[in-house]
Every structure is written in structure tokens, then in C-alpha cells.
Amino acid sequence: PEIEMQILVEQSTVLREKLESGLLDLAIDNALTHDPDYEYILLFKEHILIGVPKENEVNDRYREYQIPAEVIKSGCCDYDALPKLPIDALKDEKFILLKSGNKMRQMSHNIFAESHISPKICFEFDQLMTSISFAKSGLGACFLTDTIIKYVEPCEEITLYQPDTGFCDRELYLMYKKNKYLSTACRELMEVMKMIYQ
């Protein structure tokens, strides 16, 4: 009660700048490298998926690779036991990607490079949710995470696949600058987040 909290959704580079300048107390990010000036608390691991618009004919050819959203939402999904779709199966599909500078864009680049594919990019956006919205409208395939399927967005309009790649997951951390004063409210928020996600 009576505690005001501001939430900012931004690219990792912007979040890091705001943490550095003291404008942010905490950030949630999939830190690929760990800066010794920051504390990192692992919250959870996300699994990378590909969403293809339901009406795309490629879905008819790869039914055995499809993953029902209900399986992901169950919370006890064993990704090692699920089928993995080779990325070159989607080489002719149009893709909606995030703009350069976003870590999901970097991961998608690694996935395509691993299979020696140059994707057909039809749109580039700043936010993952915008990409998903356009994919749901049938405008192209996109990368997304199982966290979105579980907690955020119903995705009945897209067919889900697990890509066959070494870049299949990412870890999300709660991070803050070492030696920065954190209010009692901020520390309580951290404890609540750890309780929910760990």
C-alpha cells in the first residue's frame, strides 16, 4: 500500500544505461555476460519456440513436430522429449524479427546462422509482443518464448514448434548494481519475485 512502482519495457542496452545512471533500481534481463559491478539472481529459464500462422501450408507438412500450447502451459513440459523441427524446414517462410540490438534478435540470428539460412524478413519490431501480434494476424512466423505461452498471451492463431538448435533457451536474471542502496520495498519486491519464479 502507498508504494509507487514504475515499470519500463526497453531493450537491454537501455535498461543497462538506466541501471548505471541510477534511474532504475532493478532490471529483469537475459544477461549473456555478467558484469562484476552487478548482482545477478537467476529467476527462471525460458525456452525458445517458433510460432507459424495456423493457415500457412507448411504446418500440413510438419504435423509431427507441432507442440500443443496446452503441453507448454502444463508447466511440466520436458523439452528434451519433444520433437525438434529443423530450421531449414522453414527456410521459405517469412519471418517477423526483432530489431538489431535486441537479444532475441541475436538469438534468432544464431539459430539461422547455425543452419546456414538467410531468413526472409518481412517485419522488424522493437517489442516481442508486437511480433507475436503480427504473427497471430497471419503476416509471418516469429520467435517467442514458452513464458509468453504460459503466462501472457493466448496464441491459438499460431502453430508452435521447438527449433532444432543449440540456442534453444535463455536464462532471465533479476539484476541490480552492487553497492546501490535498495529500499525496503525494493528488497521485498525482489523476495516476492524470487518466491514466484524460482
Side-chain angles (χ1 to χ4, degrees):
E2 298 181 25
I3 293 173
E4 185 176 314
M5 185 167 54
Q6 295 179 346
I7 299 174
L8 176 68
V9 179
E10 271 294 354
Q11 288 187 355
S12 298
T13 51
V14 175
L15 293 176
R16 182 60 67 91
E17 288 167 6
K18 292 190 181 296
L19 279 173
E20 194 64 37
S21 67
L23 292 173
L24 281 181
D25 294 314
L26 305 169
I28 298 174
D29 195 19
N30 56 324
L32 300 178
T33 58
H34 287 206
D35 185 322
D37 293 332
Y38 286 83
E39 293 287 349
Y40 297 85
I41 300 168
L42 178 63
L43 290 178
F44 57 89
K45 186 181 283 191
E46 288 189 307
H47 206 80
I48 306 301
L49 302 167
I50 296 176
V52 177
K54 285 270 191 214
E55 68 272 12
N56 287 24
E57 64 180 44
V58 71
N59 294 318
D60 296 331
R61 296 197 298 273
Y62 298 110
R63 290 187 188 281
E64 68 272 23
Y65 292 97
Q66 296 172 11
I67 303 172
E70 296 73 33
V71 171
I72 296 166
K73 288 179 183 177
S74 72
C76 53
C77 188
D78 179 5
Y79 287 102
D80 291 333
L82 293 175
K84 297 174 178 64
L85 181 70
I87 299 302
D88 61 4
L90 301 175
K91 66 181 184 299
D92 295 324
E93 294 298 302
K94 292 179 183 174
F95 271 86
I96 302 164
L97 299 180
L98 296 184
K99 290 181 179 176
S100 296
N102 190 296
K103 289 183 182 166
M104 182 65 96
R105 174 60 178 262
Q106 184 180 343
M107 289 189 80
S108 62
H109 172 77
N110 291 342
I111 291 169
F112 287 124
E114 184 183 45
S115 296
H116 309 289
I117 291 173
S118 296
K120 296 178 180 180
I121 303 170
C122 58
F123 293 102
E124 294 178 283
F125 295 113
D126 290 314
Q127 299 295 327
L128 187 57
M129 296 309 294
T130 309
S131 298
I132 294 168
S133 178
F134 271 59
K136 287 167 64 174
S137 297
L139 297 173
C142 72
F143 289 90
L144 67 161
T145 66
D146 61 345
T147 307
I148 289 169
I149 303 297
K150 286 183 205 170
Y151 304 113
V152 181
E153 186 77 10
C155 293
E156 292 87 1
E157 302 91 342
I158 57 178
T159 300
L160 300 170
Y161 297 94
Q162 176 179 212
D164 188 5
T165 176
F167 303 96
C168 57
D169 53 36
R170 64 182 187 173
E171 294 176 332
L172 266 79
Y173 293 87
L174 182 61
M175 53 187 286
Y176 58 94
K177 201 160 172 37
K178 286 181 179 175
N179 304 319
K180 175 181 170 55
Y181 168 75
L182 297 176
S183 68
T184 302
C186 188
R187 292 190 178 278
E188 286 296 324
L189 175 63
M190 290 169 56
E191 290 305 313
V192 168
M193 294 173 75
K194 285 158 60 176
M195 184 175 64
I196 291 170
Y197 291 112
Q198 289 183 335

